[in-house]
């Protein structure tokens, strides 16, 4: 749906009929279409823990102390991306650092041992992974929190931005999974306690900018005692007792240099407690908007006004609070169209007993709170959610929800006996855009395990057409969950390459119409979830449809590109036309 696209956009049409070998068995002929639920005659998709089999042995170091420093419990993120351009996804884990118990005044946590390093795992041709951290230059500094992925200099290599306390680091990809810390020359260190970040082209100049959420004003030297003064009952302090802080916007000036334009953008006036971040264009005006999950204060929805100006419209749009008009503990967030009506919707995770929030985009600048009617409320009330992603795990044409869970308070059971610190992950199946149904119990043994889960990233690790999940836990091991059975239905994955737009195509809007006439929509992004970054490739499930009738791509540059008659079950590379005039001259019906 691009009904509001201005006439200045060029139109580029290509007729295409491609077919690659199908690596997985396809379903037999069926009258069901991609708009209907997954075929019930076949066993449900299973998510299987393959972490050890793949050679991944990462364990997050939170460095818990008796002082209950707040940073200890927030966990860290994970990124799924291709560090060397070989077509296979690699995995990066953010790690904590050593914290003394107690911390001497004026000191900071340090990565003074290999167990505290951030870790990069490179995928080998046989599908297993090797730890290449030592040669990568990504071991890191300080107490790590989040990670963003994007090619900020358009050289064809994915770069990393790692957030944390007390500052952040930008790593330029030099090739072959080796990186250089360019934070100082790029001027993007920031200050304070940063959480999530997103690469996004705010002004559509073809260069990726950086938006960074900051959590709150806190330090090791100002860590009050919270909880009962009884042995073992000290707890982590509520964010309510700390002041909020504004998010940051770094504009990419080119040449490896960024400028802090937070004040010009209007962000300096916002006092949030930002954790998760996600992007989409809520009104299809060609400018990317930003959703930020705030903890214990109202949520932010930053509408892009153009000219590097962002206006918070959360209150006016209905996305600032819950159905009772109350703030809640927003942590993870995702921003995608779950009911295939062409408008991106918002999901935000929350603490136990508060229910996760689902905001449906009405298409007129307003959102409705759909937590209750969608079934999300009853499914999530017992849990505390962090990383969250819309994904079509069974390729039936509808975006489902996968959520990493675990309470923030390791002593929660002492004060609330019905709650638990360790909690299972959650898988919610999308029933034709109307309801989300908890299918965790039938989807694998991993959903019976209980973790202090935090970061979550998705991507097709085996390039088979089924989306896998990587989860990090707080002060615990990471998990790689293989999707087994997702390719029983058809699928299509698009990898975009910008020319006039940023090379990653981040911010491009994609609409597909399958052979049965079922439309789907997506925004190219690596952000979303909690502290994490996902595969930038756009994945669509097609159900029983073995072909896509049409694909429309609106690039950040404004160019519209159309492809027709595309076969299913392939990863299709799509390159943006370099010139609007050239695109127009190649148009045909």
């Amino acid at each position: 749906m691009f009904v509001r696209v201005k006439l200045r956009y060029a139109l580029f049409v290509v007729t295409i009929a491609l077919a690659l070998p199908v690596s997985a068995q396809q379903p037999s002929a069926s009258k069901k279409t991609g708009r209907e639920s997954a075929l019930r005659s076949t066993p449900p998709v299973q998510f299987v823990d393959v972490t050890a089999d793949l050679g991944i042995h990462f364990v997050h170091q939170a460095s818990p102390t008796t002082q209950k420093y707040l940073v200890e419990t927030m966990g860290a993120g994970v990124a799924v991306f291709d560090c060397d351009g070989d077509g296979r996804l690699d995995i990066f884990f953010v790690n904590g650092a050593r914290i003394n118990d107690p911390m001497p005044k004026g000191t900071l946590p340090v990565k003074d041992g290999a167990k505290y390093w951030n870790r990069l795992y490179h995928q080998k041709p046989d599908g297993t992974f090797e730890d290449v951290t030592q040669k990568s230059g990504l071991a890191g500094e300080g107490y790590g929190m989040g990670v963003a992925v994007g090619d900020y200099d358009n050289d064809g290599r994915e770069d990393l931005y790692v957030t944390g306390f007390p500052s952040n680091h930008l790593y330029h990809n030099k090739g072959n999974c080796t990186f250089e810390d360019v934070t100082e020359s790029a001027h993007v260190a920031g200050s304070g306690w940063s959480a999530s970040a997103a690469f996004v082209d705010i002004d559509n100049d073809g260069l990726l900018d950086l938006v960074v959420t900051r959590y709150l004003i806190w330090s090791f030297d100002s860590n009050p005692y919270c909880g009962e003064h009884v042995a073992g009952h000290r707890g982590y302090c509520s964010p309510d007792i700390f002041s909020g802080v504004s998010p940051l916007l770094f504009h990419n000036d080119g040449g490896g240099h960024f400028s802090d334009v937070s004040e010009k953008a209007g962000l300096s006036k916002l006092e949030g407690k930002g954790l998760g971040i996600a992007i989409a264009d809520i009104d299809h005006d060609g400018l990317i908007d930003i959703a930020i999950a705030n903890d214990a204060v109202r949520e932010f929805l930053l509408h892009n006004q153009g000219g590097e100006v962002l206006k918070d419209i959360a209150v006016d749009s209905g996305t600032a609070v819950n159905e009772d008009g109350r703030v809640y503990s927003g942590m993870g967030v995702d921003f995608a169209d779950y009911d295939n009506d062409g408008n991106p919707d918002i999901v935000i995770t929350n603490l136990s007993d508060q229910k996760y929030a689902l905001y449906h985009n009405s298409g007129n600048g307003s959102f409705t709170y759909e937590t209750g009617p969608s079934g999300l409320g009853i499914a999530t009330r017992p849990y505390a959610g962090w990383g969250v992603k819309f994904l079509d795990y069974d390729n039936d044409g509808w975006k489902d929800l996968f959520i990493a869970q675990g309470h923030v308070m390791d002593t929660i059971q002492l004060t609330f006996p019905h709650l638990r610190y360790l909690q299972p992950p959650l898988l919610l199946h999308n029933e034709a855009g109307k309801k989300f149904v908890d299918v965790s119990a039938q989807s694998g043994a991993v959903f019976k395990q209980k973790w202090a889960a935090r970061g979550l990233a998705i991507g097709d690790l085996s390039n088979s057409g089924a989306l896998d999940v990587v989860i990090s836990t707080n002060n615990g091991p990471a998990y790689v969950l293989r999707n087994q059975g997702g390719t029983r239905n058809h699928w299509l994955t698009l990898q975009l390459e910008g020319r006039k737009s940023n090379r990653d195509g981040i911010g491009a809007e994609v609409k597909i119409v399958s052979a049965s006439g079922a439309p789907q929509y997506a925004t190219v992004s690596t952000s979303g979830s909690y502290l994490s970054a996902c595969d930038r490739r756009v994945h669509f499930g097609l159900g029983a449809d073995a072909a896509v009738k049409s694909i429309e791509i609106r690039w950040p540059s404004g160019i519209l590109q159309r492809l027709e008659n595309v076969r299913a079950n392939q990863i299709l590379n799509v390159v943006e036309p370099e010139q609007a005039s050239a695109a127009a001259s190649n148009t045909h019906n």
Side-chain angles (χ1 to χ4, degrees), residues 267-539:
L267 299 184
S268 299
K269 298 178 181 179
L270 298 177
E271 186 175 299
K273 296 178 181 178
L275 291 174
I277 188 170
I279 68 169
D281 184 352
I282 59 173
D283 53 4
H284 309 291
D285 63 356
L287 299 169
I288 285 293
D289 310 301
I290 301 167
I292 292 179
N294 281 314
D295 188 1
V297 297
R298 67 178 181 82
E299 313 306 307
F300 291 160
L301 179 56
L302 306 180
H303 184 254
N304 193 335
Q305 307 289 294
E308 302 167 23
V309 176
L310 299 168
K311 179 183 179 182
D312 180 25
I313 62 168
V315 173
D316 292 340
S317 67
T319 60
V321 293
N322 65 14
E323 61 185 339
D324 300 321
R326 297 178 179 177
V327 299
Y328 53 87
S329 302
M331 296 184 288
V333 59
D334 203 20
F335 205 167
D337 178 16
Y338 74 85
D339 61 345
N340 294 343
D341 68 353
N343 300 310
D345 312 295
I346 301 172
V347 63
I348 301 178
T349 56
N350 204 344
L351 277 182
S352 298
D353 285 342
Q354 294 185 359
K355 301 179 293 187
Y356 304 165
L358 181 65
Y359 300 99
H360 178 260
N361 188 338
S362 302
N364 59 5
S366 68
F367 290 73
T368 57
Y369 187 83
E370 296 295 323
T371 294
S374 69
L376 190 64
I378 193 170
T380 63
R381 185 160 196 159
Y383 303 119
W386 301 83
V388 56
K389 286 298 292 183
F390 286 111
L391 78 166
D392 189 354
Y393 76 92
D394 57 354
N395 287 331
D396 68 349
W398 298 95
K399 297 178 182 66
D400 314 294
L401 280 170
F402 202 115
I403 309 168
Q405 303 184 135
H407 207 278
V408 67
M409 301 286 290
D410 59 352
T411 57
I412 190 64
Q413 191 174 347
L414 297 176
T415 49
F416 296 92
H418 68 292
L419 300 179
R420 296 294 182 271
Y421 176 59
L422 304 180
Q423 299 178 2
L426 186 65
L427 181 63
L428 302 178
H429 187 262
N430 185 342
E431 300 289 331
K434 297 178 176 63
K435 297 278 284 189
F436 286 97
V437 176
D438 185 352
V439 295
S440 307
Q442 67 195 55
S443 301
V446 296
F447 296 98
K448 297 179 181 179
Q449 298 186 35
K450 297 179 180 181
W451 308 324
R454 298 294 187 263
L456 176 151
I458 63 169
D460 184 355
L461 295 176
S462 60
N463 291 332
S464 65
L467 293 174
D468 308 302
V469 177
V470 183
I471 292 176
S472 65
T473 67
N474 192 60
N475 205 46
Y479 296 92
V480 180
L481 308 181
R482 176 77 76 199
N483 181 328
Q484 293 188 351
T487 53
R488 296 188 188 110
N489 284 325
H490 295 288
W491 56 276
L492 179 67
T493 297
L494 303 178
Q495 179 162 304
L496 273 59
E497 181 181 325
R499 294 290 179 84
K500 187 175 180 182
S501 303
N502 67 86
R503 189 179 175 96
D504 284 344
I506 289 176
E509 289 191 291
V510 182
K511 173 187 176 181
I512 71 163
V513 178
S514 61
S516 63
Q520 293 183 57
Y521 307 82
T523 302
V524 179
S525 172
T526 59
S527 63
S529 189
Y530 172 75
L531 305 179
S532 299
C534 298
D535 183 3
R536 68 179 176 88
R537 298 177 296 183
V538 182
H539 177 91

Side-chain angles (χ1 to χ4, degrees), residues 92-115:
F92 174 78
F93 295 101
V94 184
N95 207 347
R98 180 177 58 79
I99 300 175
N100 292 325
D101 189 4
M103 287 287 283
K105 189 172 182 178
T107 61
L108 294 170
V110 294
K111 295 184 186 295
D112 60 354
K115 73 175 184 177

Side-chain angles (χ1 to χ4, degrees), residues 225-268:
Y225 189 104
C226 294
E228 296 184 57
H229 285 269
V230 177
H233 280 243
R234 181 172 184 174
Y236 295 100
C237 294
S238 166
D240 292 338
I241 70 172
F242 302 101
S243 297
V245 64
S246 62
L248 300 172
L249 173 59
F250 295 104
H251 179 264
N252 189 339
D253 304 322
H257 183 274
F258 290 75
S259 296
D260 186 341
V261 295
S262 307
E263 185 171 357
K264 174 186 175 183
L267 299 184
S268 299

